[in-house]
């Protein structure tokens, strides 16, 4: 046997590692890696060639994707055919396929609806084929992506009978992107939109962005920050927006804009923005007409009004409904919608912040136009690591209410922490509001089935940016992915989604899949434990919202930590029972009683709803103080475990990705320790009780931890 020369071996190794490795995360979950055996052999027998019945740019995209995907996964050249043969994957509109397929599948296609698809194993002239069909072009594109996902995740494709359609209509990313390129609460670089070089110059990333979204069924993008710059609606910017809209369109993505309510004054030269003023109404009608002249399928407006300093109808003594309806009337003739945010609270209102939004919106139920959706954050405060579901869900039966999740990890370690958010999203979607008795889940409120609403939606505050890997942390991609998957189907489980994402992103090696899935599934609870266990909330550092800040006491009361944890020599927690703010009273029975009663309020919401003595006896038999400490320590231990698990994957995944995540988890351990040490020592000042003996004590003083700079904890 001839042995290779050293040089030859080196070259071989280099080439080998180059082709296998060098992953910078840009490809997301759309890498189309070669399928592992034995599925590869099966797929090669089942998929012989492809045929896409075209006729639009969307279908061209579908065809390219199918070729690209199948070629990658089967690692082989697949040819296009003009007529179906044995083993053809045939994609096309139902109307074009009807006569080709022996079975009548018109019932299935009806179920698929406007955007859904059918993927089924069929026969044509006695030949076995796989059909991807839909009523619309974009439905076929979604079907193609789903078919590729089946292959990427190693599913059996021999007997397919899939009908899939989205649970909600508007599946939209909210970009908090500013016109200067910065992103509010963005941790992955700058905005993807290069406003300066638009409209003249475009970036291939615009297309890749649209493709990634289409692959998970996202069909809308709000391009700019809800703290909106009125310049967005000027012709100068509309020309730029048009270019993006044109690029996104064939991918089924509509463009929406956030607007500033005072725009008629800011850019229109009017003296008022009063929604009942005819001149103001006229201004909006003209503006909307102008927007549609650039973008004929424009989606509509997202509005943050009378919230955190933003102007709104209340500046003129008008209600949210009057404000929203004015815009809705302007958009209606063009088919546009208004997404009006319910994130409103006012420091000058002497009421628990958690109650204010419902108080504000409840009396308006039934007053909104039919093209208005109320966009509600998952919980009543603000995207905290854990919140009970927002009491608005189920409480506005006559109004379509859409979900606002945060994908960007503002309060969950930003781009330093590995925190898989699907379990948090699911916790809220699966929560039962009891609005119409048992089974009235938040998911049913959102998907319109509870009250029979047609207009439905789910928004996710985006975590994307100019970073090469899109989301800062590689695992941030899983949250973008999970958001899209859940907006399409809120019945999927967190595990299923994690399983898909891991196989599509990393590999199908069972050890890799099991290990990463475990890490992901534990990650959110770890974060809750070292940040805000047992129902604590809003105790993060001021402004940056990254490190701990239970001591934050300056500035407006409802932006301090003291407002929320209320620690004193007696105990800790926010009494929201009938003896306190009675926020529990905003929920339907029996949820209200469940939260208000100590016997039934579960530990995870305990201090959200109750102020309890330090020596309160918990279910575990331990004191509240001891449990609090144990949770903080368990959080750090959880991250360390995650670290060991990740490190055990050395050599099994791409080295660049491996090192990247390893480095992030190292930073996360330090961040978690900082949170734990700060919070335990801070609260100990009030409890005056010792940290349970078995736990290792913080090495430094509270003052020391208090002085640390959060920037030193960010993963570099
Ligand atoms: O979570 C808070 C953020 C603000 C944000 C606001 C909102 C866009 O700290 O940065 O502003 O919520 O949702 O409007």
């Amino acid at each position: 046997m001839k042995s290779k020369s050293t040089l030859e071996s080196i070259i071989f190794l280099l080439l080998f590692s180059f082709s296998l490795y060098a992953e910078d995360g840009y490809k997301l979950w759309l890498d189309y890696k070669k399928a592992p055996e034995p599925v590869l052999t099966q797929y090669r027998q089942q998929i012989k060639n492809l045929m896409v019945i075209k006729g639009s740019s969307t279908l061209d995209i579908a065809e390219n994707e199918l070729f690209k995907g199948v070629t990658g996964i089967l690692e082989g050249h697949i040819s296009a055919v003009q007529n179906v043969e044995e083993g053809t994957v045939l994609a096309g509109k139902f109307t074009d396929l009807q006569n080709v397929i022996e079975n009548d599948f018109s019932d299935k296609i009806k179920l698929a609806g406007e955007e859904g698809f059918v993927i089924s194993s069929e026969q044509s002239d006695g030949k076995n084929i796989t059909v991807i069909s839909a009523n619309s072009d974009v439905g076929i594109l979604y079907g193609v992506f789903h078919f590729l996902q089946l292959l990427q995740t190693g599913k059996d494709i021999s007997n397919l009978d899939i009908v899939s359609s989205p649970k909600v209509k508007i599946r939209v990313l909210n970009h908090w992107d500013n016109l200067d390129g910065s992103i509010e609460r963005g941790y992955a670089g700058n905005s993807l939109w290069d406003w300066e070089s638009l409209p003249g110059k475009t970036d291939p990333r615009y297309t890749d962005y649209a493709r990634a979204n289409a692959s998970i069924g996202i069909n809308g993008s709000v391009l700019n920050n809800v703290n909106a710059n009125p310049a967005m609606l000027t012709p100068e910017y509309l020309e730029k927006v048009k270019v993006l809209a044109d690029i996104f369109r064939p991918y089924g993505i509509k463009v929406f804009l956030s607007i500033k309510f005072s725009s008629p004054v800011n850019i229109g030269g009017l003296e008022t923005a009063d929604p009942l003023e005819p001149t103001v109404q006229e201004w909006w009608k003209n503006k909307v007409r102008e927007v549609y002249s650039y973008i004929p399928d424009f989606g509509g407006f997202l509005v943050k009004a009378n919230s955190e300093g933003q102007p709104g109808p209340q500046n003129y003594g008008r209600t949210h409904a009057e404000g929203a309806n004015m815009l809705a009337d302007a958009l209606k003739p063009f088919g546009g919608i208004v997404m009006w945010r319910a994130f409103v609270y006012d420091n000058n209102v002497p009421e628990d912040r958690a109650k204010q939004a419902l108080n504000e919106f409840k009396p308006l139920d039934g007053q909104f136009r039919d093209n208005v959706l109320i966009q509600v954050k998952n919980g009543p405060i603000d995207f905290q690591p854990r919140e009970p579901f927002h009491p608005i869900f189920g409480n506005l039966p006559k109004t379509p209410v859409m979900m606002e999740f945060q994908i960007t990890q503002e309060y969950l370690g930003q781009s330093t922490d590995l925190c898989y958010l699907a379990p948090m999203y699911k916790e809220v979607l699966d929560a039962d509001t009891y609005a119409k008795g048992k089974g009235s889940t938040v998911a049913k409120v959102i998907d319109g089935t509870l009250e029979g609403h047609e207009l439905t939606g789910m928004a996710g505050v985006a975590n994307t940016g100019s970073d090469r890997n899109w989301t800062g942390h590689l695992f941030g991609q899983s949250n973008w992915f999970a958001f899209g998957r859940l907006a399409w189907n809120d019945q999927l489980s967190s595990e299923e989604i994690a399983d898909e994402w891991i196989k599509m992103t990393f590999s199908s090696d069972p050890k890799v899949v099991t290990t990463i899935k475990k890490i992901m599934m534990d990650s959110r609870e770890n974060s809750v434990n070292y940040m805000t266990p047992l129902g604590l909330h809003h105790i993060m550092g001021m402004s940056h919202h990254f490190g701990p800040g239970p001591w934050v006491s300056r500035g407006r009361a409802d932006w301090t930590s003291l407002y929320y944890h209320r620690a004193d020599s007696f105990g800790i927690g926010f009494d929201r029972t009938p003896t306190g703010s009675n926020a529990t009273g905003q929920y339907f029975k029996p949820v209200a009683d469940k939260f208000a009663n100590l016997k039934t309020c579960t530990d995870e919401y305990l201090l959200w709803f109750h102020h309890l003595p330090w020596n309160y006896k918990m279910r575990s038999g331990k004191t509240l103080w001891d449990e609090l400490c144990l949770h903080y320590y368990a959080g750090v231990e959880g991250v360390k475990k995650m670290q060991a698990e990740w490190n055990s994957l050395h050599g099994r995944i791409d080295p660049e990705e491996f090192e990247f995540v390893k480095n992030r988890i190292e930073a996360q351990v330090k961040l978690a320790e900082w949170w734990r040490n700060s919070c335990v020592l801070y609260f100990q000042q009030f409890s005056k009780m010792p940290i349970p003996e078995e736990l290792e004590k913080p090495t430094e003083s509270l003052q020391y931890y208090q002085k640390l700079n959060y920037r030193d904890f960010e993963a570099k």
Side-chain angles (χ1 to χ4, degrees):
M1 203 171 81
K2 214 178 118 200
S3 72
K4 278 196 201 129
S5 75
T6 322
L7 188 64
E8 255 180 315
S9 316
I10 290 175
I11 292 174
F12 173 78
L13 267 179
L14 275 176
L15 284 176
F16 178 73
S17 34
F18 199 71
S19 60
L20 250 189
Y21 299 134
E23 301 276 2
D24 57 14
Y26 186 81
K27 293 179 193 158
L28 297 162
W29 48 86
L30 297 171
D31 194 6
Y32 302 132
K33 294 190 218 319
K34 183 176 163 188
E37 289 294 358
V39 279
L40 178 63
T41 311
Q42 273 167 32
Y43 288 167
R44 281 181 173 155
Q45 281 157 7
Q46 288 157 329
I47 305 172
K48 300 279 189 207
N49 50 64
L50 308 173
M51 178 175 162
V52 178
I53 303 179
K54 294 192 293 179
S56 74
S57 48
T58 302
L59 292 173
D60 290 342
I61 291 168
E63 183 183 45
N64 281 338
E65 198 68 39
L66 192 58
F67 268 89
K68 186 175 169 164
V70 170
T71 315
I73 296 163
L74 270 59
E75 208 182 53
H77 186 71
I78 289 280
S79 57
V81 288
Q82 298 300 322
N83 295 303
V84 286
E85 294 175 5
E86 179 73 20
T88 298
V89 176
L90 170 64
K93 274 235 266 263
F94 174 63
T95 43
D96 294 330
L97 298 188
Q98 245 167 331
N99 302 327
V100 187
I101 291 151
E102 279 161 30
N103 254 336
D104 173 25
F105 66 119
S106 53
D107 283 350
K108 283 191 221 165
I109 208 78
K110 249 184 233 135
L111 286 176
E114 221 177 295
E115 290 181 291
F117 54 82
V118 170
I119 305 179
S120 55
S121 306
E122 300 285 347
Q123 294 242 314
S124 174
D125 257 347
K127 294 166 191 128
N128 295 310
I129 62 169
T130 306
V131 169
I132 304 172
S133 188
N135 293 304
S136 63
D137 295 354
V138 75
I140 295 167
L141 180 60
Y142 291 148
V144 163
F145 275 117
H146 191 75
F147 177 68
L148 292 172
Q149 182 186 304
L150 297 175
L151 305 182
Q152 285 173 288
T153 52
K155 300 274 164 27
D156 180 0
I157 58 157
S158 49
N159 225 330
L160 291 171
D161 185 14
I162 297 174
V163 182
S164 180
S165 65
K167 292 264 182 194
V168 300
K169 262 200 180 136
I170 316 281
R171 305 176 299 279
V172 67
L173 289 184
N174 288 183
H175 292 274
W176 287 356
D177 293 21
N178 299 314
L179 299 188
D180 66 2
S182 63
I183 306 179
E184 181 156 349
R185 311 303 175 188
Y187 314 102
N190 289 323
S191 174
L192 286 169
W193 331 132
D194 187 352
W195 295 116
E196 260 185 37
S197 65
L198 282 164
K201 210 170 138 241
T202 65
D203 185 325
R205 277 191 91 152
Y206 300 155
T207 311
D208 293 341
Y209 163 86
R211 169 178 174 248
N213 279 325
S215 78
I216 46 176
I218 290 173
N219 66 359
S221 178
V222 185
L223 300 181
N224 61 319
N225 193 351
V226 288
N227 291 325
N229 187 329
M232 195 78 242
L233 290 179
T234 59
E236 184 194 347
Y237 277 93
L238 290 176
E239 263 178 45
K240 301 169 195 273
V241 173
K242 173 192 162 44
V243 173
L244 292 177
D246 289 343
I247 296 175
F248 299 169
R249 186 169 300 111
Y251 291 88
I253 294 163
K254 277 190 183 179
V255 158
F256 295 75
L257 293 175
S258 296
I259 57 112
K260 198 174 182 82
F261 198 78
S262 56
S263 295
V265 177
N266 308 131
I267 58 166
L270 300 193
E271 266 164 22
T272 176
D274 181 347
L276 298 194
E277 260 303 315
T279 50
V280 173
Q281 296 170 352
E282 218 24 58
W283 187 87
W284 279 109
K285 284 195 172 132
N286 289 332
K287 183 48 80 182
V288 166
R289 192 173 312 119
E290 187 188 342
V291 173
Y292 278 90
S293 73
Y294 289 96
I295 308 149
D297 58 348
F298 179 68
F301 294 143
L302 171 63
V303 194
K304 173 175 178 178
N306 294 119
S307 162
E308 298 185 334
Q310 291 299 324
Q314 294 180 333
N315 296 40
Y316 307 95
R318 314 298 182 195
T319 67
H320 284 285
E322 287 167 326
N325 290 346
M326 171 196 56
L327 297 171
D329 289 342
L331 288 157
K332 180 81 182 177
F334 304 93
I337 61 158
V338 175
M339 297 175 282
W340 190 272
R341 294 177 91 224
F343 181 64
V344 298
Y345 64 102
D346 185 346
N347 197 29
N348 300 314
V349 174
E351 177 62 286
D352 176 1
R353 172 174 168 188
K355 291 178 70 181
Q356 293 186 24
L358 181 61
N359 287 351
E360 195 77 61
F361 281 85
K362 180 85 196 156
L364 304 177
D365 189 28
Q367 292 184 22
F368 292 95
R369 299 282 191 268
D370 63 4
N371 57 334
V372 176
L373 278 152
I374 302 302
Q375 182 169 310
V376 181
K377 290 189 182 182
N378 55 276
I381 298 293
D382 187 9
F383 298 138
Q384 291 301 295
R386 171 168 280 131
E387 300 196 24
F389 68 87
H390 201 303
I392 282 188
F393 297 119
N395 255 313
L396 301 181
K398 298 189 191 123
T399 313
V401 168
M402 71 187 280
M403 176 65 79
E404 178 176 327
F405 282 131
Q406 198 177 39
I407 311 174
T408 190
Q409 291 165 233
E410 175 180 0
Y411 298 100
L412 281 157
Q414 301 174 5
S415 60
T416 295
D417 284 8
L418 192 165
C419 187
Y420 174 52
L421 299 177
M424 180 172 87
Y425 300 157
K426 284 294 285 183
E427 190 171 283
V428 177
L429 291 167
D430 292 346
D432 199 341
T433 69
Y434 279 86
K436 294 178 99 180
K438 194 170 162 49
S440 309
T441 58
V442 171
K444 285 188 185 161
V445 174
I446 295 308
D447 67 24
T449 52
L450 193 68
E451 301 290 350
H453 292 301
E454 285 286 312
L455 186 57
T456 53
M458 202 187 278
V461 179
N463 62 351
T464 48
S466 59
D467 277 6
R468 182 72 193 157
N469 73 4
W470 299 90
T471 55
H473 200 303
L474 194 60
F475 277 75
Q477 296 181 359
S478 70
N479 295 328
W480 179 9
F481 181 85
F483 167 77
R485 296 292 288 135
L486 285 173
W488 185 276
N489 182 3
D490 53 33
Q491 295 306 301
L492 292 171
S493 72
S494 307
E495 287 93 335
E496 278 173 86
I497 298 171
D499 193 88
E500 293 171 358
W501 180 77
I502 297 163
K503 288 176 179 160
M504 294 163 85
T505 306
F506 294 107
S507 94
S508 294
D509 169 353
K511 154 97 178 154
V512 171
V513 177
T514 328
T515 309
I516 300 184
K517 209 190 300 177
K518 168 106 181 43
I519 290 175
M520 289 170 78
M521 291 307 296
D522 291 344
S523 61
R524 188 273 186 136
E525 206 59 35
N526 289 337
S527 300
V528 170
N529 282 339
Y530 62 76
M531 291 176 177
T532 54
L534 302 177
L536 286 175
H537 51 289
H538 206 294
I539 57 170
M540 66 290 162
M542 197 151 59
S543 313
H544 58 77
H545 298 176
F546 178 65
W551 46 76
V552 171
S553 60
R554 274 191 309 236
R556 82 181 245 198
D558 56 359
W559 285 353
T560 67
S561 299
L562 308 195
Y563 178 97
Y564 300 94
H565 65 62
R566 310 207 164 193
D568 55 24
S569 58
F570 170 83
I572 181 170
F574 197 135
D575 183 2
R576 292 191 164 111
T577 69
T579 60
S581 79
N582 197 23
T584 54
Q586 289 190 327
Y587 293 93
F588 289 90
K589 279 184 186 294
V591 184
D593 298 336
K594 187 183 170 211
F595 287 151
N597 188 333
L598 277 171
K599 288 213 180 73
T600 45
C601 182
T602 47
D603 285 0
E604 64 261 37
Y605 300 122
L606 200 62
L607 303 177
W608 185 283
F609 290 114
H610 299 270
H611 186 75
L612 297 170
W614 293 109
N615 61 5
Y616 172 78
K617 199 165 164 214
M618 302 282 287
R619 281 197 182 80
S620 63
K622 297 195 169 65
T623 63
L624 169 57
W625 167 252
D626 280 0
E627 270 299 339
L628 190 66
C629 292
L630 287 167
H631 275 77
Y632 272 111
Y633 278 79
V636 173
E637 285 320 302
V639 182
K640 288 188 180 159
K641 217 159 117 206
M642 198 155 92
Q643 182 173 39
E645 284 159 353
W646 180 262
N647 292 346
S648 78
L649 296 177
H650 182 75
R652 287 185 182 258
I653 49 181
D654 167 69
E656 197 175 328
E657 292 183 336
F658 175 79
E659 283 303 322
F660 179 92
V661 176
K662 180 169 176 265
N663 176 47
R664 299 261 143 171
I665 304 181
E666 266 163 33
Q668 186 173 356
V669 170
K670 296 202 180 88
L671 177 63
E673 284 173 341
W674 183 32
W675 264 95
R676 177 198 68 192
N677 293 340
S678 303
C679 292
V680 167
L681 291 177
Y682 173 81
F683 291 128
Q684 191 178 36
Q685 301 177 102
F686 303 96
S687 80
K688 308 234 184 314
M689 291 163 86
I691 295 170
E693 220 168 297
E694 67 272 26
L695 305 175
E696 162 206 346
K697 312 285 165 294
T699 50
E700 310 295 334
S701 68
L702 173 61
Q703 290 67 31
Y704 171 89
Y705 295 118
Q706 213 165 325
K707 277 200 208 113
L708 296 176
N709 186 341
Y710 76 93
R711 293 209 170 274
D712 296 333
F713 289 87
E714 288 173 334
K716 301 289 173 315

